Amino acid sequence: MQITTPIPDRHLRDAARLWWGAFAPPVSAGIPRMRACHGIAAIGADGRLMGIAGFRDRQGGFLAHTPWLARLLYRAAPATADLVIDGIVVDGPRRGVGRALLEGAAQAARRADHPGLQAEVEMRNAAAMAFYTATGFTEIGRGAFGWPWSGPVAVLHRPV
């Protein structure tokens, strides 16, 4: 498996489809344009996209333009110096792809002099909470961030 950022052009459309399919609001239409420089791709030996991680920093996030619904309803967490993981999605069964994407994000954070990684996770998402805890994240706060229907969100941090 190869972990790469920016996302290669030949995989960007599939990466956008995979990521948007997991994180789009329920009333969204179409797949918006994504920024390859704010994503990390896991590419299998067969050349197939295995997973994607988006991230946000001071220059923006994986989404090239924020859709109108997100501008209207989405509640951002407080600003941070950390590199924010903006969702990890794996296509298919667990094979260490999520961990590899997270390590790719840690490398990107170090290269850009971010002190750590931050993830904002819906507390009811037990699988994501367990994943981040198992990979060294600790809770540093809670709040009503994200979509109004998301419920409480845990803000998690891991130094790089």
Side-chain angles (χ1 to χ4, degrees), residues 132-147:
Y132 284 109
T133 299
T135 55
F137 282 76
T138 57
E139 185 176 326
I140 60 170
R142 292 183 182 187
F145 310 121
W147 299 109

mmCIF file with all atom_site columns, all heavy atoms in Angstrom, residues 132-147:
data_model
loop_
_atom_site.group_PDB
_atom_site.id
_atom_site.type_symbol
_atom_site.label_atom_id
_atom_site.label_alt_id
_atom_site.label_comp_id
_atom_site.label_asym_id
_atom_site.label_entity_id
_atom_site.label_seq_id
_atom_site.pdbx_PDB_ins_code
_atom_site.Cartn_x
_atom_site.Cartn_y
_atom_site.Cartn_z
_atom_site.occupancy
_atom_site.B_iso_or_equiv
_atom_site.pdbx_formal_charge
_atom_site.auth_seq_id
_atom_site.auth_comp_id
_atom_site.auth_asym_id
_atom_site.auth_atom_id
_atom_site.pdbx_PDB_model_num
ATOM 1   N N   . TYR A 1 132 ? -9.671  6.277  17.221 1.00 0.00 ? 132 TYR A N   1
ATOM 2   C CA  . TYR A 1 132 ? -8.787  7.381  17.606 1.00 0.00 ? 132 TYR A CA  1
ATOM 3   C C   . TYR A 1 132 ? -8.132  7.131  18.960 1.00 0.00 ? 132 TYR A C   1
ATOM 4   O O   . TYR A 1 132 ? -6.944  7.422  19.144 1.00 0.00 ? 132 TYR A O   1
ATOM 5   C CB  . TYR A 1 132 ? -9.542  8.715  17.577 1.00 0.00 ? 132 TYR A CB  1
ATOM 6   C CG  . TYR A 1 132 ? -9.756  9.222  16.174 1.00 0.00 ? 132 TYR A CG  1
ATOM 7   C CD1 . TYR A 1 132 ? -11.009 9.220  15.589 1.00 0.00 ? 132 TYR A CD1 1
ATOM 8   C CD2 . TYR A 1 132 ? -8.690  9.696  15.419 1.00 0.00 ? 132 TYR A CD2 1
ATOM 9   C CE1 . TYR A 1 132 ? -11.208 9.682  14.299 1.00 0.00 ? 132 TYR A CE1 1
ATOM 10  C CE2 . TYR A 1 132 ? -8.877  10.156 14.121 1.00 0.00 ? 132 TYR A CE2 1
ATOM 11  C CZ  . TYR A 1 132 ? -10.137 10.145 13.575 1.00 0.00 ? 132 TYR A CZ  1
ATOM 12  O OH  . TYR A 1 132 ? -10.318 10.591 12.295 1.00 0.00 ? 132 TYR A OH  1
ATOM 13  N N   . THR A 1 133 ? -8.857  6.561  19.893 1.00 0.00 ? 133 THR A N   1
ATOM 14  C CA  . THR A 1 133 ? -8.263  6.236  21.198 1.00 0.00 ? 133 THR A CA  1
ATOM 15  C C   . THR A 1 133 ? -7.147  5.211  21.031 1.00 0.00 ? 133 THR A C   1
ATOM 16  O O   . THR A 1 133 ? -6.068  5.350  21.614 1.00 0.00 ? 133 THR A O   1
ATOM 17  C CB  . THR A 1 133 ? -9.350  5.715  22.165 1.00 0.00 ? 133 THR A CB  1
ATOM 18  O OG1 . THR A 1 133 ? -10.329 6.748  22.337 1.00 0.00 ? 133 THR A OG1 1
ATOM 19  C CG2 . THR A 1 133 ? -8.767  5.341  23.508 1.00 0.00 ? 133 THR A CG2 1
ATOM 20  N N   . ALA A 1 134 ? -7.385  4.201  20.217 1.00 0.00 ? 134 ALA A N   1
ATOM 21  C CA  . ALA A 1 134 ? -6.382  3.142  19.999 1.00 0.00 ? 134 ALA A CA  1
ATOM 22  C C   . ALA A 1 134 ? -5.140  3.665  19.275 1.00 0.00 ? 134 ALA A C   1
ATOM 23  O O   . ALA A 1 134 ? -4.078  3.050  19.365 1.00 0.00 ? 134 ALA A O   1
ATOM 24  C CB  . ALA A 1 134 ? -6.994  1.991  19.203 1.00 0.00 ? 134 ALA A CB  1
ATOM 25  N N   . THR A 1 135 ? -5.257  4.795  18.586 1.00 0.00 ? 135 THR A N   1
ATOM 26  C CA  . THR A 1 135 ? -4.108  5.349  17.856 1.00 0.00 ? 135 THR A CA  1
ATOM 27  C C   . THR A 1 135 ? -3.473  6.530  18.593 1.00 0.00 ? 135 THR A C   1
ATOM 28  O O   . THR A 1 135 ? -2.727  7.306  17.990 1.00 0.00 ? 135 THR A O   1
ATOM 29  C CB  . THR A 1 135 ? -4.509  5.756  16.424 1.00 0.00 ? 135 THR A CB  1
ATOM 30  O OG1 . THR A 1 135 ? -5.617  6.665  16.479 1.00 0.00 ? 135 THR A OG1 1
ATOM 31  C CG2 . THR A 1 135 ? -4.873  4.541  15.594 1.00 0.00 ? 135 THR A CG2 1
ATOM 32  N N   . GLY A 1 136 ? -3.758  6.656  19.890 1.00 0.00 ? 136 GLY A N   1
ATOM 33  C CA  . GLY A 1 136 ? -3.047  7.615  20.728 1.00 0.00 ? 136 GLY A CA  1
ATOM 34  C C   . GLY A 1 136 ? -3.696  8.962  20.947 1.00 0.00 ? 136 GLY A C   1
ATOM 35  O O   . GLY A 1 136 ? -3.087  9.859  21.529 1.00 0.00 ? 136 GLY A O   1
ATOM 36  N N   . PHE A 1 137 ? -4.932  9.138  20.526 1.00 0.00 ? 137 PHE A N   1
ATOM 37  C CA  . PHE A 1 137 ? -5.631  10.400 20.751 1.00 0.00 ? 137 PHE A CA  1
ATOM 38  C C   . PHE A 1 137 ? -6.240  10.426 22.147 1.00 0.00 ? 137 PHE A C   1
ATOM 39  O O   . PHE A 1 137 ? -6.685  9.394  22.650 1.00 0.00 ? 137 PHE A O   1
ATOM 40  C CB  . PHE A 1 137 ? -6.749  10.592 19.720 1.00 0.00 ? 137 PHE A CB  1
ATOM 41  C CG  . PHE A 1 137 ? -6.276  11.035 18.368 1.00 0.00 ? 137 PHE A CG  1
ATOM 42  C CD1 . PHE A 1 137 ? -5.670  10.132 17.503 1.00 0.00 ? 137 PHE A CD1 1
ATOM 43  C CD2 . PHE A 1 137 ? -6.435  12.341 17.954 1.00 0.00 ? 137 PHE A CD2 1
ATOM 44  C CE1 . PHE A 1 137 ? -5.241  10.530 16.254 1.00 0.00 ? 137 PHE A CE1 1
ATOM 45  C CE2 . PHE A 1 137 ? -6.005  12.747 16.704 1.00 0.00 ? 137 PHE A CE2 1
ATOM 46  C CZ  . PHE A 1 137 ? -5.403  11.842 15.852 1.00 0.00 ? 137 PHE A CZ  1
ATOM 47  N N   . THR A 1 138 ? -6.268  11.614 22.731 1.00 0.00 ? 138 THR A N   1
ATOM 48  C CA  . THR A 1 138 ? -6.950  11.812 24.018 1.00 0.00 ? 138 THR A CA  1
ATOM 49  C C   . THR A 1 138 ? -7.944  12.961 23.860 1.00 0.00 ? 138 THR A C   1
ATOM 50  O O   . THR A 1 138 ? -7.732  13.889 23.070 1.00 0.00 ? 138 THR A O   1
ATOM 51  C CB  . THR A 1 138 ? -5.960  12.134 25.151 1.00 0.00 ? 138 THR A CB  1
ATOM 52  O OG1 . THR A 1 138 ? -5.202  13.289 24.788 1.00 0.00 ? 138 THR A OG1 1
ATOM 53  C CG2 . THR A 1 138 ? -5.023  10.963 25.411 1.00 0.00 ? 138 THR A CG2 1
ATOM 54  N N   . GLU A 1 139 ? -9.006  12.899 24.642 1.00 0.00 ? 139 GLU A N   1
ATOM 55  C CA  . GLU A 1 139 ? -10.040 13.926 24.581 1.00 0.00 ? 139 GLU A CA  1
ATOM 56  C C   . GLU A 1 139 ? -9.546  15.204 25.257 1.00 0.00 ? 139 GLU A C   1
ATOM 57  O O   . GLU A 1 139 ? -9.042  15.162 26.381 1.00 0.00 ? 139 GLU A O   1
ATOM 58  C CB  . GLU A 1 139 ? -11.308 13.425 25.267 1.00 0.00 ? 139 GLU A CB  1
ATOM 59  C CG  . GLU A 1 139 ? -12.465 14.385 25.131 1.00 0.00 ? 139 GLU A CG  1
ATOM 60  C CD  . GLU A 1 139 ? -13.758 13.853 25.726 1.00 0.00 ? 139 GLU A CD  1
ATOM 61  O OE1 . GLU A 1 139 ? -13.999 12.621 25.662 1.00 0.00 ? 139 GLU A OE1 1
ATOM 62  O OE2 . GLU A 1 139 ? -14.520 14.679 26.247 1.00 0.00 ? 139 GLU A OE2 1
ATOM 63  N N   . ILE A 1 140 ? -9.714  16.330 24.561 1.00 0.00 ? 140 ILE A N   1
ATOM 64  C CA  . ILE A 1 140 ? -9.328  17.619 25.138 1.00 0.00 ? 140 ILE A CA  1
ATOM 65  C C   . ILE A 1 140 ? -10.520 18.560 25.278 1.00 0.00 ? 140 ILE A C   1
ATOM 66  O O   . ILE A 1 140 ? -10.381 19.663 25.795 1.00 0.00 ? 140 ILE A O   1
ATOM 67  C CB  . ILE A 1 140 ? -8.212  18.305 24.318 1.00 0.00 ? 140 ILE A CB  1
ATOM 68  C CG1 . ILE A 1 140 ? -8.661  18.561 22.881 1.00 0.00 ? 140 ILE A CG1 1
ATOM 69  C CG2 . ILE A 1 140 ? -6.922  17.488 24.383 1.00 0.00 ? 140 ILE A CG2 1
ATOM 70  C CD1 . ILE A 1 140 ? -7.706  19.451 22.082 1.00 0.00 ? 140 ILE A CD1 1
ATOM 71  N N   . GLY A 1 141 ? -11.692 18.127 24.829 1.00 0.00 ? 141 GLY A N   1
ATOM 72  C CA  . GLY A 1 141 ? -12.880 18.963 24.953 1.00 0.00 ? 141 GLY A CA  1
ATOM 73  C C   . GLY A 1 141 ? -14.082 18.311 24.319 1.00 0.00 ? 141 GLY A C   1
ATOM 74  O O   . GLY A 1 141 ? -13.981 17.273 23.663 1.00 0.00 ? 141 GLY A O   1
ATOM 75  N N   . ARG A 1 142 ? -15.213 18.952 24.546 1.00 0.00 ? 142 ARG A N   1
ATOM 76  C CA  . ARG A 1 142 ? -16.489 18.516 23.961 1.00 0.00 ? 142 ARG A CA  1
ATOM 77  C C   . ARG A 1 142 ? -17.271 19.748 23.562 1.00 0.00 ? 142 ARG A C   1
ATOM 78  O O   . ARG A 1 142 ? -17.060 20.830 24.106 1.00 0.00 ? 142 ARG A O   1
ATOM 79  C CB  . ARG A 1 142 ? -17.310 17.716 24.964 1.00 0.00 ? 142 ARG A CB  1
ATOM 80  C CG  . ARG A 1 142 ? -16.721 16.388 25.307 1.00 0.00 ? 142 ARG A CG  1
ATOM 81  C CD  . ARG A 1 142 ? -17.617 15.613 26.242 1.00 0.00 ? 142 ARG A CD  1
ATOM 82  N NE  . ARG A 1 142 ? -16.971 14.349 26.580 1.00 0.00 ? 142 ARG A NE  1
ATOM 83  C CZ  . ARG A 1 142 ? -17.550 13.405 27.259 1.00 0.00 ? 142 ARG A CZ  1
ATOM 84  N NH1 . ARG A 1 142 ? -18.778 13.555 27.713 1.00 0.00 ? 142 ARG A NH1 1
ATOM 85  N NH2 . ARG A 1 142 ? -16.908 12.281 27.509 1.00 0.00 ? 142 ARG A NH2 1
ATOM 86  N N   . GLY A 1 143 ? -18.184 19.558 22.627 1.00 0.00 ? 143 GLY A N   1
ATOM 87  C CA  . GLY A 1 143 ? -19.009 20.688 22.236 1.00 0.00 ? 143 GLY A CA  1
ATOM 88  C C   . GLY A 1 143 ? -20.062 20.299 21.232 1.00 0.00 ? 143 GLY A C   1
ATOM 89  O O   . GLY A 1 143 ? -20.190 19.139 20.849 1.00 0.00 ? 143 GLY A O   1
ATOM 90  N N   . ALA A 1 144 ? -20.826 21.300 20.825 1.00 0.00 ? 144 ALA A N   1
ATOM 91  C CA  . ALA A 1 144 ? -21.876 21.120 19.825 1.00 0.00 ? 144 ALA A CA  1
ATOM 92  C C   . ALA A 1 144 ? -21.327 21.606 18.493 1.00 0.00 ? 144 ALA A C   1
ATOM 93  O O   . ALA A 1 144 ? -21.709 22.657 17.990 1.00 0.00 ? 144 ALA A O   1
ATOM 94  C CB  . ALA A 1 144 ? -23.124 21.898 20.227 1.00 0.00 ? 144 ALA A CB  1
ATOM 95  N N   . PHE A 1 145 ? -20.386 20.853 17.944 1.00 0.00 ? 145 PHE A N   1
ATOM 96  C CA  . PHE A 1 145 ? -19.740 21.215 16.690 1.00 0.00 ? 145 PHE A CA  1
ATOM 97  C C   . PHE A 1 145 ? -20.289 20.339 15.574 1.00 0.00 ? 145 PHE A C   1
ATOM 98  O O   . PHE A 1 145 ? -20.930 19.337 15.813 1.00 0.00 ? 145 PHE A O   1
ATOM 99  C CB  . PHE A 1 145 ? -18.222 21.034 16.789 1.00 0.00 ? 145 PHE A CB  1
ATOM 100 C CG  . PHE A 1 145 ? -17.619 21.684 17.999 1.00 0.00 ? 145 PHE A CG  1
ATOM 101 C CD1 . PHE A 1 145 ? -16.921 20.940 18.927 1.00 0.00 ? 145 PHE A CD1 1
ATOM 102 C CD2 . PHE A 1 145 ? -17.770 23.046 18.222 1.00 0.00 ? 145 PHE A CD2 1
ATOM 103 C CE1 . PHE A 1 145 ? -16.377 21.525 20.048 1.00 0.00 ? 145 PHE A CE1 1
ATOM 104 C CE2 . PHE A 1 145 ? -17.236 23.642 19.348 1.00 0.00 ? 145 PHE A CE2 1
ATOM 105 C CZ  . PHE A 1 145 ? -16.534 22.882 20.260 1.00 0.00 ? 145 PHE A CZ  1
ATOM 106 N N   . GLY A 1 146 ? -19.978 20.713 14.338 1.00 0.00 ? 146 GLY A N   1
ATOM 107 C CA  . GLY A 1 146 ? -20.421 19.921 13.199 1.00 0.00 ? 146 GLY A CA  1
ATOM 108 C C   . GLY A 1 146 ? -21.846 20.271 12.817 1.00 0.00 ? 146 GLY A C   1
ATOM 109 O O   . GLY A 1 146 ? -22.296 21.403 12.971 1.00 0.00 ? 146 GLY A O   1
ATOM 110 N N   . TRP A 1 147 ? -22.568 19.291 12.327 1.00 0.00 ? 147 TRP A N   1
ATOM 111 C CA  . TRP A 1 147 ? -23.960 19.490 11.905 1.00 0.00 ? 147 TRP A CA  1
ATOM 112 C C   . TRP A 1 147 ? -24.866 19.535 13.127 1.00 0.00 ? 147 TRP A C   1
ATOM 113 O O   . TRP A 1 147 ? -24.591 18.872 14.124 1.00 0.00 ? 147 TRP A O   1
ATOM 114 C CB  . TRP A 1 147 ? -24.388 18.349 10.974 1.00 0.00 ? 147 TRP A CB  1
ATOM 115 C CG  . TRP A 1 147 ? -23.575 18.285 9.731  1.00 0.00 ? 147 TRP A CG  1
ATOM 116 C CD1 . TRP A 1 147 ? -22.647 17.341 9.402  1.00 0.00 ? 147 TRP A CD1 1
ATOM 117 C CD2 . TRP A 1 147 ? -23.587 19.213 8.643  1.00 0.00 ? 147 TRP A CD2 1
ATOM 118 N NE1 . TRP A 1 147 ? -22.083 17.635 8.182  1.00 0.00 ? 147 TRP A NE1 1
ATOM 119 C CE2 . TRP A 1 147 ? -22.650 18.777 7.697  1.00 0.00 ? 147 TRP A CE2 1
ATOM 120 C CE3 . TRP A 1 147 ? -24.297 20.384 8.391  1.00 0.00 ? 147 TRP A CE3 1
ATOM 121 C CZ2 . TRP A 1 147 ? -22.406 19.460 6.515  1.00 0.00 ? 147 TRP A CZ2 1
ATOM 122 C CZ3 . TRP A 1 147 ? -24.057 21.071 7.197  1.00 0.00 ? 147 TRP A CZ3 1
ATOM 123 C CH2 . TRP A 1 147 ? -23.130 20.599 6.285  1.00 0.00 ? 147 TRP A CH2 1
#
